[in-house]
Structure formats: structure tokens, C-alpha cells
Amino acid sequence: MSHIKDNLAQVELQIADACQQAKRQRNAIQLLAVSKTKPAAQVQAAYDAGQIAFGENYLQEAVEKIQQLSNLEHICWHFIGPIQSNKTRLIAEHFSWVQSVDRKKIITRLNEQRCSQDTPLNVCLQVNISGEASKSGIEVNELDELAQLVDSADNLTLRGLMAIPEKHNAAESFAKMSALFQSLQQRFNTVDTLSMGMSGDLREAISNGSTMVRIGTAIFGARA
């Protein structure tokens, strides 16, 4: 699977170039490899090539991979898909991060179900910044209340925001997200993550302050 190593190197060059254009340091941006629908062997290949953080959308499939790759000491799993309330226990038990939190009930359940002996679960609130009915995420006017709720939870740590902007209006959405993120940082000292940008809009996201880009196909290839 040498193509995965080569693909990661190409993505790295794209991120580095975008950082240079935006006059930002490369270490300010984290790459999240989106490994949904990909077998554990491909995740292993990416890990062997130096990739640490992986994002999963489909919970049952993800848990199977996490268990298969439990010997990988430094791997970090992020859940980035829509969250059903009856599936929160598996997220709380198996993931280090969850980026798609969008309801009070989900926050409460994740906090209750995260073992207090584990490190707190890192949380990003997903914002439906484009107001699309087809997408999950909170409205902007809900942000303060939910951020306070996560911040007050003993077994959760508020890390920031995640968004999937509408493609034809991405620039405006990225700018809005950047402003929301900076405002949140001023109020919560744990906030350090703005997760936005994928293969097609990576450069624009980084120029608007993204600290984490989510890349799948460019690393692993198209889904079967």
C-alpha cells in the first residue's frame, strides 16, 4: 500500500503550500485522515507512514477498526459523523475526540458515559454555518449555551468548532466560522481547534484560520 504513503506526502505538500500562502506555520494545522469505509489495513498503512489522527463517520464499522488496531499506541480516533443518542456510549468508550456534537442530550449522555478514569473526551461543536436542512449542526444562536454546557461537564473538554460549509458559498462560511472560533477562544481557554476544510477547499480553509483539515479520498482513494 505504498500509494497511501505517497498520497500522504502529496497532501502534506498541499497543506505546506497553503500555509505558506496564508503566512501561517505548518505546525498550526493538523491533518485528520478520514478513513470511513476503508479497511483496517489501510489505516495501518497510513499510521506506518506517520499519520496519527483518523476520522470515522460510521460507528459500528469504526469500533471494529479501533478494536483491530488497538495495538497502535499513538493512534487517535475522532468521530465526525451524525450522532444518534442511542449510540453515544460507544463513542464515549472508544474515541478520543468527537467533532459532531449538536444537541444538549448528546452532551449530557457523552459526559455520563465517559469513564471518569479516562482522559476527558475532546469535543467540537458542529455548526451548520450554511443553514442547510440536509446537514447536522447547531445554529449560531445556540453556540453559547452548548459551549457552556460542554465546558461545565467533568468528563468532556471543549476544544472548538467543526463545520462542513456549502460548496458554492464556502468563502463566506469560512470567514463566519473563523469569527465564531476567535470569539469562543476568548471565553474558553481550552478552545484551540477549528476543524474545517477538505480536499477541494483546503487552501481557503487554511487561509481563514482552520487548525484541522479533514482529508479522505486524496489519501485512501475513492470509495468503492
Side-chain angles (χ1 to χ4, degrees):
M1 297 187 190
S2 60
H3 70 283
I4 290 177
K5 183 177 181 179
D6 294 341
N7 290 347
L8 278 167
Q10 286 299 313
V11 170
E12 171 58 37
L13 288 174
Q14 292 174 32
I15 295 173
D17 184 58
C19 288
Q20 185 175 23
Q21 292 288 324
K23 296 181 171 56
R24 297 182 63 192
Q25 295 295 313
R26 170 62 189 92
N27 62 9
I29 317 298
Q30 184 176 6
L31 170 60
L32 184 70
V34 178
S35 47
K36 64 181 179 183
T37 76
K38 301 302 178 183
Q42 290 193 16
V43 176
Q44 174 83 59
Y47 181 87
D48 291 343
Q51 178 62 28
I52 299 299
F54 294 87
E56 291 283 338
N57 292 61
Y58 307 122
L59 189 55
Q60 205 61 51
E61 171 204 321
V63 170
E64 290 176 10
K65 275 186 271 190
I66 291 169
Q67 291 170 339
Q68 289 172 24
L69 299 170
S70 60
N71 61 311
L72 303 183
E73 184 179 359
H74 301 294
I75 199 165
C76 182
W77 295 98
H78 296 234
F79 189 76
I80 58 175
I83 302 173
Q84 297 173 276
S85 58
N86 64 340
K87 300 293 178 63
T88 52
R89 184 174 296 280
L90 287 174
I91 296 173
E93 290 176 348
H94 291 282
F95 287 82
S96 297
W97 286 69
V98 54
Q99 296 197 21
S100 45
V101 172
D102 64 355
R103 303 192 300 286
K104 291 181 188 177
K105 182 178 182 180
I106 298 300
I107 295 169
T108 300
R109 288 175 67 88
L110 288 171
N111 184 53
E112 290 173 349
Q113 292 165 347
R114 182 71 168 185
C115 177
S116 60
Q117 294 178 344
D118 291 338
T119 56
L121 181 63
N122 296 295
V123 170
C124 288
L125 296 171
Q126 181 173 352
V127 181
N128 187 354
I129 196 64
S130 306
E132 296 175 83
S134 61
K135 287 182 181 172
S136 302
I138 63 173
E139 302 294 327
V140 171
N141 60 12
E142 299 176 281
L143 178 56
D144 286 349
E145 183 180 7
L146 268 66
Q148 290 280 3
L149 188 59
V150 175
D151 185 62
S152 66
D154 292 339
N155 298 318
L156 307 177
T157 298
L158 179 65
R159 295 298 296 269
L161 303 175
M162 186 268 265
I164 309 170
E166 201 172 18
K167 287 184 179 179
H168 75 268
N169 199 26
E172 182 180 344
S173 296
F174 284 148
K176 287 179 181 177
M177 286 300 301
S178 181
L180 288 174
F181 175 61
Q182 291 175 47
S183 175
L184 202 66
Q185 279 188 306
Q186 291 172 6
R187 286 173 288 148
F188 301 97
N189 61 14
T190 58
V191 171
D192 59 4
T193 301
L194 178 56
S195 175
M196 64 182 191
M198 295 181 280
S199 297
D201 52 22
L202 175 156
R203 187 179 301 276
E204 202 161 24
I206 289 174
S207 71
N208 279 281
S210 172
T211 69
M212 183 182 292
V213 292
R214 307 183 303 272
I215 309 295
T217 301
I219 297 171
F220 297 105
R223 280 182 279 174

